[in-house]
Amino acid sequence: MNKKQMIEEQERLNNIIAKNLARIRADKGLSLQSVGDFIGVSNQQISLFEKGKNRISAAQLYLLAQNLDVGLNEFFISFE
């Protein structure tokens, strides 16, 4: 895989994570603020994560999975 392909794959995965965060939050009926409180960020930051404008760190993703009571794999489900 060349550098361009790696960057494209990273973008694809980041978009999948973003969409799944939004889906999981909505399925659980949680507000942006309550999810932000799980990892110590603002509701605006969660919104940016869900829109794919900012990236979630590995540590934040782990804490979200724990607090949302889902496996990490839930964030990587692709609906393409």
Side-chain angles (χ1 to χ4, degrees):
M1 184 180 290
N2 65 38
K3 186 173 182 169
K4 181 181 178 198
Q5 290 170 321
M6 287 182 356
I7 291 169
E8 288 171 354
E9 181 64 6
Q10 288 173 6
E11 285 299 315
R12 187 183 76 78
L13 287 171
N14 285 324
N15 287 330
I16 289 170
I17 292 168
K19 289 176 185 175
N20 282 309
L21 174 57
R23 175 187 57 81
I24 293 165
R25 183 181 64 77
D27 287 350
K28 295 193 175 274
L30 297 170
S31 69
L32 292 167
Q33 186 61 56
S34 63
V35 174
D37 289 345
F38 293 153
I39 58 171
V41 301
S42 69
N43 61 326
Q44 293 93 346
Q45 184 64 43
I46 296 298
S47 179
L48 291 170
F49 287 157
E50 290 183 355
K51 292 175 183 173
K53 296 191 185 251
N54 286 4
R55 294 200 174 88
I56 302 168
S57 74
Q60 289 170 323
L61 192 61
Y62 178 79
L63 291 172
L64 284 170
Q66 283 188 319
N67 283 283
L68 294 169
D69 195 32
V70 298
L72 280 170
N73 62 316
E74 285 292 314
F75 291 98
F76 295 93
I77 296 171
S78 179
F79 298 99
E80 297 174 357

